[in-house]
Amino acid sequence: MALPCPYCLQTRRGFALKPTPGERPQHICRVCSEAIPHLYLEGAKSYPPVSVSAIGYPRHGKTVYCASLLRELKRLSSVWPGFFSLAIDEESLETVYRNIGRLRNCELPDATPRTFPRPKMLRLGGMPEHGDCTLVIYDTSGESFERASSMGRYARFVAQAPTAMFFVSVPDLLESGAPANELARLLNTYLIGMNDLQANTRRQNLVVVLTKADAFEQLLETDSPELRQHLRADDEAEMLDGGNLAPWSSMMKPAFRELLDDMLGCGVDATRVENSFDYLDRISRRLRRFMLENLEAVEFVHLANNRFRRVDYCLVSALGTPPVGGRVVDARSCRVLDPLLRVLANRSSALRWLGRRIFSLFGRRGRPVVV
């Protein structure tokens, strides 16, 4: 099994073995010389790695989102039967509980320093429909993406990441006075940096995450009430265990699927979710329309469609309400699981989806069987 190094994401068949007196031998990456955590290697077959890089301008919500996501994953053990999360290394363990503690104390997590980041690694077990995995997520400083030349120094791992989460703070873009230009510039910078790293973005999925949704909730209420309803829907964790992404959703162009939704009257209704991931796919198309109509981000949308394997859109509020004086008022996150669920759904092929549905319909009763 070709296992990627969790630090540089380079794939090598095996790692160098370094004997350590009195301890277990260490496995060393032949490319970046980092010591690979034992738990990462032991769970490689049962918990295959899913790597995600977080990209975006400074203060666009990457670090706060990652902290809220880690906190939500800890909460899911009381929602999904059999679910658990396990930190792979000591650094990830400290990060998880430090950020959970800061949010509990109404404090914002520390901004990501402009250094080469070390990933947070969490083993996720018992996830409905998706099976088990090891989540490897990189939270990189926004300054690393302001210039293409900085990517090679601080974020060269993005060249190997199968998925990039592109964080966009709509309120900050609107304050700039030229949201469409800022979006296009950031994406253009990323593409130049990836080209310099000799990376092919057409093999990479892009998940565009619209952050700080609570700060432009009134705009959603006026122009896209269905998205406002989606943002404040009841506990998302309880309604996301009933289906996977329908394969035909990824076989059609977004514009055609959007037209088909309108023709069939497939509105976004969080109270009637027959297939939760097909529902998230419709949300993605509604957000794409929001980007085109409200932000006039035509160039961004067209460029993303042209340069990436697949593009999805998500709407999140990592805190639920804007912070006041640098402190969290009431940390009640909204939709923070959506981007992760998009990543997990995109790694599944149509064949695996069909197999799950057949087993769930004609196999065992109750909880769907994961194949």
Side-chain angles (χ1 to χ4, degrees):
M1 176 182 178
L3 184 65
C5 167
Y7 299 105
C8 66
L9 294 183
Q10 292 286 341
T11 301
R12 294 289 185 272
R13 290 188 177 276
F15 301 95
L17 197 62
K18 178 182 178 181
T20 305
E23 298 181 6
R24 298 176 62 183
Q26 288 186 329
H27 292 78
I28 308 298
C29 175
R30 300 180 188 275
V31 178
C32 66
S33 301
E34 288 280 358
I36 311 301
H38 293 296
L39 282 176
Y40 179 82
L41 294 171
E42 292 174 357
K45 186 174 182 180
S46 301
Y47 302 88
V50 175
S51 303
V52 177
S53 63
I55 61 178
Y57 282 138
R59 297 174 298 280
H60 274 225
K62 300 185 302 299
T63 301
V64 176
Y65 168 79
C66 290
S68 293
L69 175 63
L70 296 177
R71 184 186 63 170
E72 189 70 7
L73 288 173
K74 285 298 179 184
R75 190 186 71 84
L76 282 178
S77 59
S78 62
V79 178
W80 285 341
F83 175 82
F84 67 88
S85 63
L86 171 69
I88 293 298
D89 63 345
E90 188 174 2
E91 187 171 348
S92 297
L93 180 66
E94 292 177 354
T95 299
V96 169
Y97 285 98
R98 181 176 64 249
N99 287 340
I100 289 177
R102 291 187 70 90
L103 291 176
R104 185 184 300 115
N105 294 331
C106 298
E107 300 173 349
L108 292 173
D110 295 327
T112 305
R114 192 178 183 182
T115 57
F116 194 82
R118 296 179 67 82
K120 286 79 174 174
M121 292 180 281
L122 288 178
R123 177 170 295 172
L124 306 180
M127 293 194 69
E129 292 290 325
H130 294 294
D132 302 329
C133 72
T134 297
L135 177 64
V136 182
I137 187 167
Y138 294 82
D139 176 19
T140 313
S141 71
E143 289 82 3
S144 302
F145 298 103
E146 290 185 313
R147 296 181 62 86
S149 57
S150 297
M151 288 176 55
R153 182 180 304 174
Y154 300 109
R156 60 182 178 270
F157 57 84
V158 298
Q160 306 297 327
T163 299
M165 281 190 187
F166 192 96
F167 286 83
V168 174
S169 170
V170 173
D172 289 88
L173 289 176
L174 293 174
E175 286 183 8
S176 72
N181 289 340
E182 289 298 300
L183 276 168
R185 184 169 75 90
L186 176 56
L187 183 58
N188 202 158
T189 301
Y190 179 75
L191 291 172
I192 292 174
M194 289 288 280
N195 186 263
D196 290 344
L197 293 171
Q198 299 181 327
N200 184 2
T201 57
R202 290 187 176 90
R203 296 179 180 176
Q204 190 175 60
N205 294 324
L206 185 70
V207 178
V208 181
V209 184
L210 303 187
T211 62
K212 305 182 184 180
D214 53 90
F216 61 98
E217 202 166 342
Q218 187 58 48
L219 177 61
L220 293 175
E221 183 68 37
T222 303
D223 296 346
S224 303
E226 67 274 22
L227 292 178
R228 164 61 175 77
Q229 180 187 9
H230 163 72
L231 177 67
R232 296 297 180 177
D234 291 338
D235 191 348
E236 61 181 340
E238 296 180 359
M239 63 182 242
L240 289 176
D241 61 350
N244 205 336
L245 184 66
W248 51 82
S249 297
S250 61
M251 295 178 182
M252 297 181 182
K253 294 293 185 181
F256 180 77
R257 283 286 296 168
E258 188 173 300
L259 176 62
L260 187 62
D261 286 347
D262 293 338
M263 291 173 60
L264 297 178
C266 298
V268 176
D269 184 358
T271 63
R272 298 178 66 246
V273 182
E274 297 177 0
N275 186 318
S276 59
F277 289 104
D278 193 50
Y279 163 75
L280 289 182
D281 206 44
R282 295 200 302 273
I283 287 290
S284 177
R285 292 189 294 275
R286 290 297 189 270
L287 287 170
R288 178 180 179 273
R289 179 187 294 180
F290 177 83
M291 296 277 289
L292 292 170
E293 296 178 355
N294 295 80
L295 302 182
E296 299 181 350
V298 178
E299 184 177 23
F300 174 89
V301 170
H302 291 177
L303 184 60
N305 288 341
N306 177 262
R307 301 296 299 185
F308 291 88
R309 178 176 177 269
R310 178 185 172 100
V311 183
D312 295 291
Y313 297 86
C314 295
L315 182 71
V316 305
S317 173
L319 299 176
T321 58
V324 177
R327 291 186 61 82
V328 179
V329 177
D330 184 15
R332 294 185 180 182
S333 56
C334 300
R335 315 306 313 187
V336 295
L337 286 177
D338 288 4
L340 174 60
L341 292 168
R342 291 301 327 186
V343 171
L344 295 176
N346 289 345
R347 73 171 182 156
S348 300
S349 66
L351 182 60
R352 291 186 64 184
W353 178 90
L354 182 61
R356 289 191 181 112
R357 299 307 293 172
I358 291 175
F359 272 85
S360 64
L361 292 174
F362 302 105
R364 302 176 185 174
R365 296 181 179 274
R367 181 181 175 185
V369 177
V370 177
V371 296

